[in-house]
Amino acid sequence: MYDFNFHRPKSLRKAAAILAENEEAKLIAGGQTLLPTMKQRLAAPSDVVDLSAISGLSGIELKGRKLQIGAMTKHYDVATSQVVREALPALADLAGMIGDPAVRNRGTIGGSVANNDPAADYPAACLALNATIVTNKRRMTADEFFTGLFDTALEEGEIITKVIFPLPKRAAYAKFRNPASRYAMAGVFVSKRGREVRVAVTGAGSDGVFRLTQAEEMLSKRFSEKALKDLTVDPDGLVGDIHGSAEYRANLVAVMTRRAVAAA
Amino acid sequence: MPKVSMTVNGELVSKMVEGRTLLVDFLRDTLKLTGTHIGCDTSQCGACVVHMDGSAVKSCTTLALACQGAEIMTIEGLADGETLHPMQTAFNDHHGLQCGYCTPGMIMTAVDMVKRLGVPDEETIRAELEGNICRCTGYHNIVKAIAAGAEAMNKSNG
């Protein structure tokens, strides 16, 4: 890893100012993705801005029918929170499936969402629940936020402060994990809120997280596994690599969608 | 170079470090606490697990400067003088190691697991060990050691 200037600002304003002054600066939350990336020299920021000393960025709060999670809230805290367990158990389950216990003790929801790794879990939950991503500048829906592989609508100097999940009537996440990396080979989050059904897929799309509109239409008529009996997923646009071909992933996506609906 | 201060095994330390210094390098190279190991250096294997403010973390994937003001506990801080920690004794009694390279991380993970979960069953122990890799033992004796260590820790806590 190349050396860098380390900053640990105490306020969002200060953090944003450091980002504005240093074009090659990067934010660090739990660092569970950024540090391995820097070790491989795939990233070499001039400045690293640690968000951990800024107060008010972590915590879980239920506000009416919305669950608010601070950007610096760790996966372990989401996985074990009584509030999340009761209000949105699918999200607690998802958080408990990320990485391993030590990774969950450092990794954060804001970091995961901002990085938009094509195999990360949280983007699927955000997209399937149409979460609102709140930054120091504005609010965006998940549909607006995730724009492609490792790409988001975040602008220079923009910092995620929290993610707000509207509570669904039914939801579940089914993940087929790569046994070595523990990343999703295919992860499918399904949700039903009012009449709206949303299905989001991670781990399989070559352009990152995406909505499986075909399954959404089938499930809008009837939210049950049976409604998916004719579901076949097109391998076009899916990842094919040493871990599995695009066709294999297409099948996994269909299977995980059925499992998620059965569990919701 | 910036300065970092943290408590390591109960002692306050303050040292100059580079921005890129990882916690594991700080522990091993600067403080000469070489009980914490570097296995994969990619946060897969868990040989580097230490406790940061009471939670197990991978010290190869934590910056030393991010530990400003934190309480760090390494394998060296576990025993009470000459008396081994119950989890260390359990690994010894159940032959929970062969080459020993993964053992510090296994034990720190095990202690964290027991603090959170009390006396976990075998399935839970195996699931909780997903971030700790041992290439010698096939895990059977590690799992037995953790189960026994959990019983002993819970007894000694009254």
Side-chain angles (χ1 to χ4, degrees), chain A:
Chain A
M1 188 180 351
Y2 291 110
D3 201 17
F4 49 80
N5 300 312
F6 182 83
H7 308 265
R8 206 180 191 210
K10 291 209 162 67
S11 72
L12 272 176
R13 186 178 297 231
K14 180 77 184 147
I18 299 165
L19 289 179
E21 283 159 23
N22 302 280
E23 210 175 298
E24 299 291 313
K26 266 205 173 291
L27 297 171
I28 192 167
Q32 300 303 286
T33 303
L34 181 60
L35 292 174
T37 309
M38 288 169 65
K39 285 182 186 182
Q40 292 179 50
R41 298 184 173 176
L42 295 171
S46 63
D47 294 74
V48 168
V49 186
D50 182 355
L51 297 173
S52 66
I54 302 173
S55 62
L57 284 185
S58 64
I60 296 165
E61 213 179 331
L62 189 63
K63 285 198 165 172
R65 297 289 298 161
K66 285 181 176 163
L67 183 67
Q68 245 180 239
I69 303 183
M72 288 294 284
T73 310
K74 297 186 168 80
H75 306 326
Y76 174 77
D77 295 321
V78 175
T80 56
S81 153
Q82 202 52 42
V83 174
V84 184
R85 284 248 148 253
E86 280 168 23
L88 190 42
L91 193 72
D93 291 344
L94 174 147
M97 287 184 221
I98 300 171
D100 60 53
V103 168
R104 293 195 286 274
N105 278 336
R106 293 286 294 156
T108 68
I109 185 169
S112 169
V113 170
N115 190 46
N116 193 17
D117 186 297
D121 299 288
Y122 270 123
C126 292
L127 198 57
L129 295 164
N130 202 14
T132 299
I133 319 293
V134 183
T135 75
N136 56 338
K137 293 182 178 162
R138 59 187 165 140
R139 298 168 160 252
M140 284 168 273
T141 62
D143 281 328
E144 298 162 338
F145 183 83
F146 298 107
T147 50
L149 205 64
F150 293 108
D151 202 26
T152 68
L154 285 173
E155 287 167 2
E156 300 287 321
E158 200 165 10
I159 304 168
I160 299 178
T161 56
K162 61 187 159 194
V163 183
I164 303 173
F165 296 94
L167 295 186
K169 198 160 172 226
R170 295 172 71 177
Y173 181 58
K175 175 181 182 180
F176 190 93
R177 306 188 339 160
N178 178 314
S181 73
R182 297 180 280 272
Y183 273 106
M185 302 256 304
V188 178
F189 200 108
V190 299
S191 85
K192 183 175 195 296
R193 192 164 67 96
R195 283 165 171 259
E196 193 186 20
V197 174
R198 292 170 70 104
V199 178
V201 179
T202 189
S206 51
D207 201 27
V209 68
F210 67 94
R211 283 173 66 186
L212 194 63
T213 46
Q214 185 194 355
E216 290 178 355
E217 282 161 21
M218 290 171 167
L219 292 167
S220 300
K221 294 190 186 100
R222 185 178 168 201
F223 193 84
S224 89
E225 230 186 314
K226 282 187 185 143
L228 297 172
K229 73 176 162 44
D230 295 326
L231 176 68
T232 51
V233 176
D234 187 355
D236 194 34
L238 299 189
V239 179
D241 58 18
I242 56 163
H243 306 296
S245 63
E247 289 74 20
Y248 180 68
R249 277 196 172 79
N251 187 58
L252 274 183
V253 169
V255 173
M256 290 302 121
T257 306
R258 290 192 183 96
R259 285 190 191 171
V261 171

Side-chain angles (χ1 to χ4, degrees), chain B:
Chain B
M1 276 199 291
K3 189 167 143 183
V4 66
S5 305
M6 65 183 90
T7 306
V8 178
N9 299 332
E11 271 182 53
L12 186 66
V13 293
S14 282
K15 301 279 180 188
M16 307 299 269
V17 294
E18 285 187 312
R20 62 178 166 180
T21 304
L22 297 167
L23 176 59
V24 71
D25 293 326
F26 179 73
L27 294 170
R28 289 178 55 84
D29 298 344
T30 309
L31 302 183
K32 308 296 179 200
L33 292 170
T34 52
T36 303
H37 292 166
I38 303 172
C40 66
D41 201 18
T42 56
S43 42
Q44 309 276 323
C45 82
C48 67
V49 169
V50 301
H51 295 180
M52 176 179 181
D53 294 327
S55 302
V57 302
K58 292 188 163 169
S59 61
C60 82
T61 312
T62 303
L63 293 174
L65 283 165
C67 300
Q68 173 62 36
E71 299 237 1
I72 303 296
M73 162 92 87
T74 72
I75 189 75
E76 288 93 343
L78 218 48
D80 181 10
E82 292 295 303
T83 310
L84 288 179
H85 184 277
M87 191 59 79
Q88 291 173 306
T89 305
F91 268 70
N92 191 7
D93 292 348
H94 293 267
H95 197 69
L97 57 134
Q98 284 180 30
C99 85
Y101 200 85
C102 71
T103 311
M106 287 285 176
I107 291 178
M108 296 312 281
T109 296
V111 170
D112 175 68
M113 188 190 308
V114 173
K115 281 187 179 160
R116 282 184 290 116
L117 304 171
V119 182
D121 61 18
E122 185 189 328
E123 195 187 338
T124 309
I125 293 171
R126 288 184 182 274
E128 287 282 323
L129 281 182
E130 63 190 347
N132 291 77
I133 294 175
C134 169
R135 297 289 79 162
C136 307
T137 67
Y139 302 94
H140 287 302
N141 286 353
I142 292 174
V143 174
K144 280 184 204 160
I146 293 175
E151 295 280 356
M153 276 175 70
N154 280 281
K155 260 190 208 134
S156 66
N157 288 342

